[in-house]
Amino acid sequence: MTTSTYTVTGMTCDHCVSSVKEEVGEVLGVTAVEVDLPTGRVDVTGTAPLDDEAIRAAIEEAGYKVA
């Protein structure tokens, strides 16, 4: 398993967290997404090396920015 960590800006509520989890969770190979709202930390776990660009694109698709 592999884990990548991102700092996401613009999230302000539980709905924001749900949106990020949903979009990132759809990326091929992702098995878990943990979001810490106060810090903006997003930990993404997968079974193989994760596609960094796909994860960043999913975060942006949810409406947020990677710091």
Side-chain angles (χ1 to χ4, degrees), residues 13-59:
C13 64
D14 288 337
H15 177 71
C16 300
V17 170
S18 295
S19 295
V20 169
K21 282 185 168 184
E22 181 179 340
E23 290 293 335
V24 175
E26 292 178 1
V27 174
L28 184 65
V30 171
T31 57
V33 182
E34 295 297 323
V35 179
D36 183 58
L37 181 59
T39 64
R41 179 181 169 131
V42 177
D43 294 321
V44 183
T45 304
T47 55
L50 298 168
D51 183 347
D52 183 66
E53 287 303 313
I55 293 169
R56 289 175 181 270
I59 291 168

